Amino acid sequence: MTNRRHFLNAIAAIGFGVLALPGIAAAKEWKTVTIALEGAYAPWNLTNPDGSLDGFEPELAKYLCAQAKLDCKLIPQDWDGMIAALNAGKFDVIMDALSITDERKQVIDFSIPYAATHAAFAATKDSAFANAAGTGTVVKFTPELTDAKPTIEALRQKFKGATIGIQAATVYAKFIYDNFGDIATVREYKTGGERDLDLETGRLDLAFDDAVYLLSAFEKANGSLAFTGPEVGGTIFGVGEGLGLRKSDPELKAKFDEAIKAALADGTIKTLSMKWFKTDVTP
């Protein structure tokens, strides 16, 4: 038995050595790519009445794929479980306002960022939680929340007893649980749209999400919703939004990195962000 174990270990070592030899594993030649988007996170991405995907990211994807000489197919995918589905091989790329964070880097790889946005609270304009201190300003937080305590404490006092809606499995969820979970009721939603409807109809007191996404929600609510408290920027939610890719696909990452650099250099990202967000989200 001992000799057999040693023999198998030796074979495994030899096999590993062969695989590790330079030039043995050929780089994958990417020609076709499947990109997953939620299709329900306007204006980042949305679904038209005819079923086609539209928005900032679908338009940017078209540019990036042409630049990288890739034939790309865009498909809708539920946000919940998107990272697991990527690693399971159901598609090749996530493009869904995906924040680049150290935690996510443990399980997937990222392109360089193609956008950087703020997060914010929203409430109905006639709510007791409207017009919190700092409304109309931007604060910059680090992951360690250095110098953030006075701002957060003021919001905690204002939002005590509120019900706060968040989309599940987002970077914003942890921020809310960590800083408001003990003074407010936190309610998770599968989609932002479901949460926004509850906010608009009074079944929810506050929402916390990407600020440019919320601006689109305000338009749909015919002006009944507004920001409350400061917008939150800085590196607390990562260094920006990027494409999510499998760690096993470095060649694909390299192609998209170069394409994003081109889109930044020639102003494509600025042009598309002004079209869809009415503000420049260039990182």
Side-chain angles (χ1 to χ4, degrees):
M1 179 64 71
T2 302
N3 289 338
R4 181 172 182 271
R5 184 183 292 118
H6 287 169
F7 175 77
L8 292 176
N9 288 343
I11 292 296
I14 292 170
F16 179 82
V18 170
L19 290 175
L21 288 174
I24 295 297
K28 182 172 180 179
E29 291 293 331
W30 287 92
K31 296 186 182 299
T32 61
V33 173
T34 301
I35 301 175
L37 311 93
E38 189 176 357
Y41 200 62
W44 291 90
N45 56 77
L46 56 100
T47 303
N48 290 320
D50 63 2
S52 61
L53 291 166
D54 205 357
F56 170 78
E57 288 173 319
E59 281 208 40
L60 179 58
K62 183 178 179 180
Y63 172 98
L64 297 179
C65 292
Q67 188 75 22
K69 296 180 173 55
L70 295 169
D71 181 12
C72 294
K73 177 183 179 182
L74 274 57
I75 62 169
Q77 173 78 20
D78 287 345
W79 165 257
D80 190 21
M82 195 177 278
I83 290 177
L86 171 71
N87 280 332
K90 293 185 178 181
F91 43 80
D92 305 306
V93 178
I94 297 173
M95 192 178 196
D96 197 43
L98 188 65
S99 298
I100 303 169
T101 67
D102 289 339
E103 184 178 9
R104 286 173 174 164
K105 282 181 179 179
Q106 294 178 24
V107 291
I108 62 171
D109 209 344
F110 283 93
S111 69
I112 62 172
Y114 56 78
T117 56
H118 302 152
F121 285 97
T124 56
K125 289 181 177 179
D126 58 358
S127 166
F129 303 102
N131 300 309
T135 300
T137 67
V138 176
V139 295
K140 298 293 183 71
F141 291 164
T142 64
E144 297 78 22
L145 294 178
T146 306
D147 301 325
K149 288 185 178 180
T151 300
I152 290 177
E153 186 55 35
L155 292 174
R156 284 171 55 84
Q157 293 298 320
K158 177 72 170 180
F159 298 157
K160 187 175 182 179
T163 301
I164 305 174
I166 53 174
Q167 188 172 2
T170 63
V171 291
Y172 308 126
K174 185 178 186 303
F175 175 79
I176 294 299
Y177 278 118
D178 287 352
N179 297 288
F180 300 91
D182 62 330
I183 57 92
T185 300
V186 182
R187 188 178 299 167
E188 292 192 8
Y189 291 81
K190 185 174 182 178
T191 69
E194 294 170 338
R195 187 266 324 279
D196 301 341
L197 182 60
D198 275 2
L199 180 64
E200 185 181 356
T201 54
R203 293 189 292 270
L204 194 63
D205 298 314
L206 294 162
F208 189 73
D209 211 323
D210 178 80
V212 293
Y213 165 81
L214 287 173
L215 285 172
S216 178
F218 295 169
E219 291 184 13
K220 294 177 183 177
N222 296 316
S224 64
L225 305 176
F227 292 132
T228 180
E231 294 181 34
V232 180
T235 58
I236 183 171
F237 304 120
V239 296
E241 290 86 5
L243 302 176
L245 306 103
R246 287 181 291 271
K247 287 181 175 289
S248 58
D249 296 333
E251 299 88 3
L252 188 58
K253 168 182 161 52
K255 284 180 177 290
F256 277 117
D257 280 350
E258 290 305 310
I260 292 170
K261 289 176 185 177
L264 290 168
D266 67 13
T268 295
I269 288 178
K270 181 178 181 179
T271 298
L272 291 178
S273 64
M274 294 304 298
K275 173 182 177 179
W276 288 101
F277 302 137
K278 306 299 187 291
T279 188
D280 186 5
V281 301
T282 301

